[in-house]
Amino acid sequence: MTEALLRLAAHWSLDRLLYRAWRYNPWGLYRLYQHHRFDRALNVDTRGYGDLRYEPTPAAAFTRILEFLDIDFARYTFIDIGSGKGKALLLASAFPFRRMIGVERFPEFHRIAERNVAGFPRVELVCCDAVDYPFPEEPSVMYFFNPFGEDLLEKIVKNLESSLARAPRSVIVVYYAPILRRGSPWDRRRVFDSSPALRIRTDNRAFTVYQSVE
């Protein structure tokens, strides 16, 4: 009962409170300035968006994470689950991935992303619910910026497990969650932690990297 109440509080209060504190404190306002600067440099629109709690990935953080992976990027497809306006795809295009795919549920974000990535080769956009997305059966880096609740993440992970069972391959999952304390009631990474198809490769305060079990 206590755990259920904590989960409910996390869903309706703590998660939102932490998000707003992360976004609107002085350091958060500096991040917003950096987002604006990124958009001006590329003449795109990736900034935050109203009540849907969209938040683009900070460029510096994303670049650090990918450099940390230390992989042969040319072997992998990059897939952003919950890609919003496409900022992570734009950032990933600086790396030699085979191709980059953005999966976004909301058509309004998808349309903006289409404009943002126009002219960027190797970038593909899919507008669908991530639960219904069929993972390509090829080596992949899958990126999650804390996009969904646990119920949806559980379905997505089950789909990934089924895909890996059909076609064993190297899949790296990056879960970026800079405001969530590891092990807290609102830390959704436990969905990935409990998957028998994944093992933790790196775990730190801001992000966790998982590797498929081959």
Side-chain angles (χ1 to χ4, degrees):
M1 181 66 176
T2 301
E3 183 177 352
L5 289 173
L6 283 172
R7 287 174 182 266
L8 185 64
H11 179 71
W12 292 109
S13 301
L14 295 175
D15 191 32
R16 286 163 172 75
L17 179 62
L18 285 171
Y19 172 78
R20 286 174 173 80
W22 180 74
R23 186 168 184 179
Y24 296 113
N25 63 24
W27 179 239
L29 294 175
Y30 175 73
R31 281 193 305 273
L32 290 177
Y33 166 74
Q34 293 289 74
H35 292 321
H36 280 266
R37 190 168 72 170
F38 175 88
D39 284 5
R40 288 196 303 271
L42 293 184
N43 192 29
V44 294
D45 170 20
T46 68
R47 294 185 293 277
Y49 189 89
D51 294 336
L52 295 177
R53 297 178 59 213
Y54 164 73
E55 175 71 29
T57 300
F62 183 88
T63 300
R64 281 196 302 270
I65 291 170
L66 287 199
E67 289 175 345
F68 181 85
L69 295 181
D70 190 26
I71 59 173
D72 179 5
F73 294 100
R75 290 186 55 229
Y76 289 85
T77 292
F78 176 83
I79 306 172
D80 184 7
I81 304 296
S83 53
K85 299 181 180 182
K87 184 172 184 181
L89 298 168
L90 295 173
L91 293 167
S93 68
F95 295 80
F97 286 106
R98 293 178 63 240
R99 59 180 178 144
M100 288 146 288
I101 304 171
V103 181
E104 175 54 48
R105 173 186 177 185
F106 295 107
E108 56 267 47
F109 289 167
H110 176 75
R111 288 191 292 269
I112 295 171
E114 286 183 315
R115 295 194 295 270
N116 286 337
V117 305
F120 282 80
R122 300 175 289 128
V123 177
E124 306 167 26
L125 299 174
V126 179
C127 187
C128 75
D129 194 313
V131 172
D132 301 321
Y133 177 66
F135 294 112
E137 295 181 349
E138 56 196 73
S140 304
V141 173
M142 298 181 183
Y143 180 69
F144 296 78
F145 182 1
N146 197 34
F148 312 114
E150 278 190 50
D151 54 343
L152 291 180
L153 281 177
E154 286 172 353
K155 294 176 182 177
I156 292 169
V157 170
K158 289 297 182 186
N159 290 345
L160 177 58
E161 290 170 353
S162 297
S163 178
L164 287 169
R166 288 192 305 271
R169 61 199 185 274
S170 175
V171 169
I172 296 169
V173 174
V174 177
Y175 198 91
Y176 178 57
I179 64 171
L180 298 181
R181 183 170 59 84
R182 200 69 168 96
S184 65
W186 52 92
D187 180 10
R188 299 172 185 134
R189 282 171 286 191
R190 60 175 155 257
V191 175
F192 296 91
D193 295 345
S194 61
S195 173
L198 300 171
R199 62 175 176 82
I200 294 177
R201 177 172 156 179
T202 302
D203 196 9
N204 63 34
R205 187 184 64 81
F207 66 92
T208 303
V209 178
Y210 300 86
Q211 174 74 53
S212 58
V213 176
E214 298 181 75

